[in-house]
C-alpha cells in the first residue's frame, strides 16, 4: 500500500494485499450470499468398519462464489464466525441437512435410517437459540433426534463450564448424539471426558495418517488402541476421519474403531451420491 501523504512509498506486498482484499471482500459478501443461496452442502459417508455398510454422512458446507468458484469452509467459516453470520448460516446448514436426512429416509424405505452429522461452531454453542432452533428444525421435518449427531471440536469444549455444556446436555437428553470432533489435537484431560455429554469420539486425521504403512508405527498403534479402549469403557463410539487407503481401514478396524470416513470410501459429494452408495450397500 502507498502511504497516504508525503514522498515515501512503502513497498507493497501484492499477495498480502490480495489476501486482505479477498478476506474483506468475502466477509462483506457473506450475508448476501446466504440470501442468494450461494451455499451448498456436500455429504461424505460414514461407514461401519465391521461390515462396510454406509450408516450416515457428515454435512460439509461449500460456497459457490460467483467470481471465485467453489470455496471450502476453511476459507469462509472463520470469517462467518468473526462476524456472527455463522449463527444463521449454521442454522441453514442444520435445516438443509435434517431435510436431507428426511428425504433419504423416504427413499430408503424401512431400512435403518441414515444418520446425519452436522458441525457446530463454538459461536453456535454460546448462542441462546441453539436448543430451540434444533428442536424446531427436527419437529418441522419429522426427523427423530436420534438421527442427528452434532459435532463439536475438542478445542471448543476444553475447559468448558456448565453454562456452555447445558445446551449440549439438553440436546443429548433428547436423543441427539454429540461427537467430539478432531479428538486428540487438543489437550483435554481424558478423565474430563466423563463430564462431557458426548457419545462419539472423532479421532483426528493425524492419527489415521500414522496408519498409512503396513504395519503401522507401533507407537501410533498403541495410542489409538489406548484411546479406543478408554472410549469404549466410557460407552463412547469411535469414528476415524481421513481414511485414504484400505490398509488404514483394516488396521483401524482391528484396533476396534467403530466407524470410518475418508476418501477411501468416498469424497464429499451431492446427496444423490450418498443415496446411491447406501442403496448399493443394502443390495449387496
Ligand atoms: P472437519 O469437521 O474435520 O471435516 C473433515 C474434513 O476432512 C473435511 O474438509 C473433509 O472434506 C476432509 N476429508 C474427508 N476425508 C478426507 C480424507 O480421506 N483425506 C483428507 N485429507 N481429507 C479428508 P472440508 O470439507 O474442507 O471441511 C473443513 C472443516 O470446515 C471441517 O473440518 C469443519 O471443521 C468445517 N466445516 C465444514 N462444514 C461446516 C459447517 O457447516 N459448519 C461449521 N461450523 N464448520 C464446518
Ligand atoms: Ca466434523
Ligand atoms: Ca474432524
Ligand atoms: Ca478437522
Amino acid at each position: 500500500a502507498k502511504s497516504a501523504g508525503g514522498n515515501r512509498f512503502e513497498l507493497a506486498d501484492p499477495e498480502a494485499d490480495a489476501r486482505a482484499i479477498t478476506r474483506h471482500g468475502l466477509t462483506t459478501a457473506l450475508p448476501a450470499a446466504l440470501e442468494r443461496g450461494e451455499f451448498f452442502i456436500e455429504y461424505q459417508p460414514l461407514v461401519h468398519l465391521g461390515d462396510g455398510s454406509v450408516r450416515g454422512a457428515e454435512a460439509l458446507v461449500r460456497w459457490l462464489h460467483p467470481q471465485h468458484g467453489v470455496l471450502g469452509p476453511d476459507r469462509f467459516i472463520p470469517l462467518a464466525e468473526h462476524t456472527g453470520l455463522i449463527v444463521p448460516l449454521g442454522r441453514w446448514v442444520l435445516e438443509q441437512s435434517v431435510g436431507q436426512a428426511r428425504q433419504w429416509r423416504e427413499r430408503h424405505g424401512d431400512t435403518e435410517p441414515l444418520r446425519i452429522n452436522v458441525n457446530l461452531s463454538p459461536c453456535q454453542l454460546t448462542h441462546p437459540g441453539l436448543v430451540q432452533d434444533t428442536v424446531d428444525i427436527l419437529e418441522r421435518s419429522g426427523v427423530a433426534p436420534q438421527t442427528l449427531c452434532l459435532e463439536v471440536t475438542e478445542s471448543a469444549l476444553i475447559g468448558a463450564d456448565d453454562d456452555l455444556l447445558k445446551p449440549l446436555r439438553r440436546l443429548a437428553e433428547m436423543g441427539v448424539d454429540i461427537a467430539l470432533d478432531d479428538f486428540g489435537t487438543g489437550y483435554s484431560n481424558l478423565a474430563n471426558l466423563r463430564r462431557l455429554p458426548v457419545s462419539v469420539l472423532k479421532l483426528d486425521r493425524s492419527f489415521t495418517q500414522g496408519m498409512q504403512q503396513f504395519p503401522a508405527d507401533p507407537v501410533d498403534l498403541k495410542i489409538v488402541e489406548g484411546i479406543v479402549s478408554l472410549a469404549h469403557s466410557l460407552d463412547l463410539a469411535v469414528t476415524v476421519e481421513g481414511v485414504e487407503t484400505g490398509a488404514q481401514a483394516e488396521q483401524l478396524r482391528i484396533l476396534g474403531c467403530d466407524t470410518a470416513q475418508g476418501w477411501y470410501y468416498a469424497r464429499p459429494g451431492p446427496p444423490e451420491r450418498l443415496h446411491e452408495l447406501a442403496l448399493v450397500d443394502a443390495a449387496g
Side-chain angles (χ1 to χ4, degrees), residues 229-284:
S229 89
L230 175 92
H232 286 168
S233 73
L234 294 172
D235 259 338
L236 305 176
V238 178
T239 299
V240 286
E241 324 185 287
V243 176
E244 296 180 357
T245 68
Q248 286 171 320
E250 183 53 13
Q251 299 194 82
L252 290 159
R253 186 187 68 76
I254 292 168
L255 288 170
C257 299
D258 303 291
T259 314
Q261 186 181 353
W263 297 345
Y264 173 63
Y265 303 101
R267 304 235 171 189
E272 306 78 54
R273 171 112 176 86
L274 192 94
H275 178 70
E276 283 160 20
L277 287 170
L279 277 189
V280 166
D281 192 70

Side-chain angles (χ1 to χ4, degrees), residues 23-265:
R23 269 182 70 89
H24 180 254
L26 291 180
T27 305
T28 51
L30 277 167
L34 183 57
E35 262 172 41
R36 280 199 295 261
E38 291 173 6
F39 294 101
F40 67 98
I41 298 173
E42 289 192 318
Y43 298 88
Q44 187 177 34
L46 291 155
V47 177
H48 188 260
L49 272 167
D51 63 13
S53 63
V54 175
R55 296 297 174 94
E58 179 175 6
L60 296 158
V61 68
R62 282 91 180 78
W63 180 1
L64 180 54
H65 190 285
Q67 277 97 48
H68 304 297
V70 176
L71 302 178
D74 292 332
R75 292 288 302 278
F76 61 85
I77 291 287
L79 309 178
E81 285 175 339
H82 192 69
T83 58
L85 194 85
I86 192 68
V87 171
L89 177 60
R91 199 186 295 127
W92 180 84
V93 171
L94 185 64
E95 190 149 34
Q96 293 292 305
S97 305
V98 167
Q100 192 55 61
R102 188 206 161 95
Q103 285 190 35
W104 285 328
R105 190 188 66 194
E106 280 168 1
R107 295 175 54 184
H108 238 59
D110 37 50
T111 50
E112 178 100 343
L114 291 171
R115 326 217 31 228
I116 184 75
N117 284 39
V118 178
N119 292 286
L120 271 194
S121 115
C123 320
Q124 288 173 274
L125 268 187
T126 51
H127 186 264
L130 175 68
V131 174
Q132 195 57 51
D133 286 349
T134 308
V135 170
D136 289 347
I137 287 170
L138 288 169
E139 276 181 358
R140 269 204 303 275
S141 60
V143 165
Q146 288 75 12
T147 306
L148 176 65
C149 176
L150 295 173
E151 301 193 356
V152 185
T153 59
E154 181 189 17
S155 57
L157 291 188
I158 285 178
D161 60 13
D162 268 357
D163 284 346
L164 196 76
L165 295 179
K166 208 180 279 169
L168 288 183
R169 282 216 181 89
R170 289 205 33 214
L171 290 165
E173 280 159 18
M174 282 165 44
V176 173
D177 271 317
I178 310 292
L180 206 50
D181 204 355
D182 300 346
F183 184 78
T185 57
Y187 302 91
S188 56
N189 179 344
L190 290 180
N192 208 13
L193 278 177
R194 268 192 323 200
R195 41 180 291 275
L196 301 179
V198 298
S199 44
V200 180
L201 284 192
K202 283 194 88 171
L203 208 54
D204 191 68
R205 190 157 71 228
S206 49
F207 292 102
T208 320
Q209 273 161 356
M211 309 281 143
Q212 235 142 19
Q213 294 86 30
F214 194 91
D217 182 292
V219 176
D220 284 336
L221 285 177
K222 281 281 172 220
I223 293 173
V224 174
E225 203 173 15
I227 293 176
V228 171
S229 89
L230 175 92
H232 286 168
S233 73
L234 294 172
D235 259 338
L236 305 176
V238 178
T239 299
V240 286
E241 324 185 287
V243 176
E244 296 180 357
T245 68
Q248 286 171 320
E250 183 53 13
Q251 299 194 82
L252 290 159
R253 186 187 68 76
I254 292 168
L255 288 170
C257 299
D258 303 291
T259 314
Q261 186 181 353
W263 297 345
Y264 173 63
Y265 303 101

